[in-house]
Amino acid sequence: MGSEIQRIHQLLVEKKISCTDLVQGKLDELTKSTSNTSNFLLTDYALNLAKKVDQNIANGKEIGILEGIPFGIKDVYLLQGSPASGSSDFLRNYISPYTATAIQKLLDAGAIPIVKENCDSFGHGSSNENSVFGAVKNAVNEKLVAGGSSGGSAVNVAKGYTVFSIGGDTGGSVRQPAGYNKVYGLKPTYGRISRYGIMAYASSTDVVGPIARTMEDILMVLNVMSGKDYHDQTTINSDNISLSDCQDKEAAQKLKVGYYKSFINNKAIEPGIKTDFMALIEKIKGQGIEVVELDFLDSETLVSTYYTLAMAETASNLARLDGTNYGNRITGTNLKDTYAITRSENFTVETKRRIVGGNQVLSQGHSEEIYLKARQIRDIITEQFESEFEEVDIILSPVSPNNVPEIGNSLKDPMTMYLSDAYTVGFSLGGLPTLSVPVGPSTGLQVTAAKNQELKILQFSNLITA
Ligand code: GLN
């Protein structure tokens, strides 16, 4: 399957469809959908932009490849003048005062945002049930969860309601819902895309990630959004990646692949996921690619390290939400009471669990034993990745060890939900680029490379899906 963006671009240029009809069609589908993917439709905003694209085409102007392409935005990004709720009661009526850099770059390229998408509140979750707008339904089987936290974005792409969507990934939130809904989802190298204008969850692992139906579309959107931004001091310069390099099969054939025994031999992995993953490994070996087994920390260590740090960072980041500067204020009998009621009433149970946990691991008497220890383990994880990538180019794993859960189960059992992130969180702690590819195990295949080696990931994915 070639680029969907390219296909629609061609239809627009050849005047086989108008941009207004295209955008209106997608908005109608979103309105009729029962998947619960939309928090807010950007109807007037999008139709206005579509009209301008139609005028440009009518005037014989050349249009850019992304011009007029409808896309979705996870509801944690700011788009000036539009709602940005983080799927929370706190910010239900919040209007963005400025636009996130990543989104601005897409607007500058002419892409049209049509919807702010349902997600887990502040990115807290792995099932997209932790949302004040309700659970998102899986695109393949409505009884199952969409995955989280960027569930609305993944389902919109899978259903074709958006051509691509912009999710956010802190510990797996782009890769896991992409895997659950059989589309592509990329977590780029930390710092490749600016985080300016995305609600901070855990700032040291938060990244902006595109979700799309083809590798080509992921590439196009990645190139547009990447680059240094003086608003985000962790951003790095990166070169554009060319499509022809991604399609270079000879180069892909030479990539050396590894997978972690500790992931695959873990008792928590579903037998079917293990069988399908190993069958894929055999197929890859059959294509003449060298595959080796690697040893790594057990996934429980990765999950506990990630959750210790993510909770600590979210407790700090969400301290600013007290109803004074942002969000819905509930007045109590005095100021302290006002803070307490505002925060207890406006955060979800899952978000409060993380704030309480985060403050606990940061508190005096505990921080050295828990928070600082997690920081040390993170350094060990990062060093180990560096040495792994001296030996191999690509690391493969299933996206998640468990089968896609049914709606209702994860909320009852948060620990099982946290463990479903076992294979994604480690790569977040390492700041590595990693892509969910809809092949192999039912939760998808995760293809990871060393920092700034997105090209290898795309080359390899192209080889195994061609
Ligand atoms: N499921 C993970 C968590 O809840 C990851 C979420 C995310 O990447 N935003 O922390």
Side-chain angles (χ1 to χ4, degrees):
M1 181 176 168
S3 164
E4 183 73 3
I5 294 176
Q6 179 69 45
R7 188 183 69 79
I8 296 175
H9 173 73
Q10 215 52 43
L11 292 174
L12 288 171
V13 171
E14 289 168 10
K15 299 189 185 146
K16 296 209 168 117
I17 48 166
S18 77
C19 189
T20 303
D21 286 349
L22 171 70
V23 167
Q24 187 63 63
K26 301 281 182 205
L27 288 165
D28 290 345
E29 286 182 65
L30 282 164
T31 309
K32 275 192 241 130
S33 162
T34 53
S35 302
N36 202 21
T37 56
S38 323
N39 287 357
F40 306 99
L41 290 181
L42 304 169
T43 306
D44 294 344
Y45 185 85
L47 288 173
N48 212 7
L49 290 176
K51 210 160 113 192
K52 289 189 188 138
V53 174
D54 283 332
Q55 272 160 8
N56 284 343
I57 295 171
N59 294 339
K61 280 200 191 142
E62 203 175 303
I63 62 162
I65 182 80
L66 280 181
E67 212 166 324
I69 303 295
F71 74 102
I73 308 176
K74 182 178 184 180
D75 200 15
V76 293
Y77 286 90
L78 303 192
L79 171 69
Q80 192 173 36
S82 305
S85 75
S87 291
S88 70
D89 278 329
F90 227 119
L91 298 175
R92 210 183 250 272
N93 303 312
Y94 184 70
I95 301 294
S96 310
Y98 61 92
T99 298
T101 301
I103 304 301
Q104 188 59 52
K105 287 186 170 195
L106 292 167
L107 291 175
D108 294 345
I112 301 184
I114 59 171
V115 55
K116 295 300 296 294
E117 297 165 320
N118 199 348
C119 56
D120 282 299
S121 197
F122 299 112
H124 296 156
S126 317
S127 65
N128 209 150
E129 294 167 284
N130 173 31
S131 164
V132 296
F133 295 94
V136 177
K137 295 178 191 162
N138 188 285
V140 183
N141 176 348
E142 292 220 323
K143 290 203 176 72
L144 304 182
V145 302
S149 61
S150 313
S153 308
V155 171
N156 278 342
V157 171
K159 291 267 189 187
Y161 302 152
T162 59
V163 179
F164 65 89
S165 284
I166 305 304
D169 191 309
T170 305
S173 277
V174 160
R175 290 161 282 160
Q176 192 244 41
Y180 283 10
N181 294 285
K182 313 240 174 277
V183 290
Y184 289 79
L186 176 71
K187 177 196 117 48
T189 303
Y190 181 77
R192 191 176 182 113
I193 302 176
S194 170
R195 289 176 291 113
Y196 180 67
I198 177 172
M199 289 176 200
Y201 166 11
S203 311
S204 74
T205 61
D206 286 345
V207 298
V208 175
I211 301 175
R213 287 194 291 284
T214 70
M215 179 279 282
E216 290 85 346
D217 292 347
I218 291 279
L219 171 70
M220 251 183 259
V221 177
L222 171 72
N223 279 338
V224 170
M225 293 194 296
S226 298
K228 206 160 171 55
D229 177 13
Y230 75 94
H231 287 303
D232 174 357
Q233 294 302 318
T234 62
T235 47
I236 49 172
N237 277 320
S238 52
D239 293 328
N240 261 8
I241 299 172
S242 80
L243 180 59
S244 59
D245 282 346
C246 294
Q247 291 168 334
D248 183 342
K249 292 203 173 145
E250 223 172 289
Q253 196 75 34
K254 291 191 193 125
L255 296 171
K256 190 170 165 189
V257 172
Y259 69 91
Y260 289 128
K261 274 188 297 193
S262 51
F263 281 14
I264 300 309
N265 295 334
N266 191 302
K267 58 183 181 330
I269 190 170
E270 282 292 334
I273 294 199
K274 179 169 174 174
T275 314
D276 292 346
F277 178 75
M278 289 316 295
L280 186 63
I281 291 288
E282 288 311 313
K283 194 173 150 211
I284 290 167
K285 283 186 188 163
Q287 284 180 272
I289 294 169
E290 188 180 353
V291 183
V292 295
E293 285 186 340
L294 302 167
D295 278 316
F296 197 50
L297 300 172
D298 60 83
S299 42
E300 287 80 3
T301 306
L302 299 175
V303 171
S304 39
T305 307
Y306 165 79
Y307 273 100
T308 301
L309 297 174
M311 287 189 185
E313 292 189 37
T314 207
S316 305
N317 279 324
L318 293 183
R320 78 191 71 169
L321 292 186
D322 59 13
T324 305
N325 291 312
Y326 307 100
N328 183 23
R329 180 186 178 94
I330 303 171
T331 311
T333 48
N334 54 43
L335 187 61
K336 203 169 154 202
D337 200 32
T338 298
Y339 286 152
I341 302 175
T342 298
R343 285 172 66 82
S344 344
E345 295 294 319
N346 282 315
F347 284 128
T348 62
V349 170
E350 181 59 37
T351 294
K352 281 188 273 196
R353 183 165 21 243
R354 291 169 187 229
I355 294 174
V356 171
N359 284 325
Q360 171 82 3
V361 302
L362 288 171
S363 62
Q364 209 175 8
H366 293 285
S367 67
E368 277 176 26
E369 216 178 307
I370 312 176
Y371 174 72
L372 292 179
K373 188 156 173 211
R375 292 279 302 262
Q376 283 162 1
I377 299 173
R378 183 180 189 174
D379 289 342
I380 296 171
I381 293 168
T382 309
E383 280 162 27
Q384 191 159 347
F385 280 137
E386 275 164 21
S387 71
E388 291 323 356
F389 283 114
E390 281 170 18
E391 202 194 326
V392 298
D393 300 289
I394 293 286
I395 292 175
L396 297 179
S397 76
V399 172
S400 176
N402 62 288
N403 289 327
V404 183
E406 282 185 19
I407 291 180
N409 289 350
S410 304
L411 290 182
K412 285 185 262 171
D413 185 2
M415 194 51 107
T416 302
M417 181 181 83
Y418 299 159
L419 287 170
S420 74
D421 299 334
Y423 301 159
T424 49
V425 292
F427 301 126
S428 295
L429 293 171
L432 304 178
T434 166
L435 175 74
S436 281
V437 181
V439 292
S442 60
T443 53
L445 178 74
Q446 189 176 212
V447 182
T448 309
K451 278 188 186 162
N452 302 313
Q453 299 298 325
E454 276 83 351
L455 171 60
K456 286 185 181 171
I457 292 175
L458 298 171
Q459 265 174 352
F460 183 79
S461 310
N462 182 58
L463 183 73
I464 60 165
T465 52

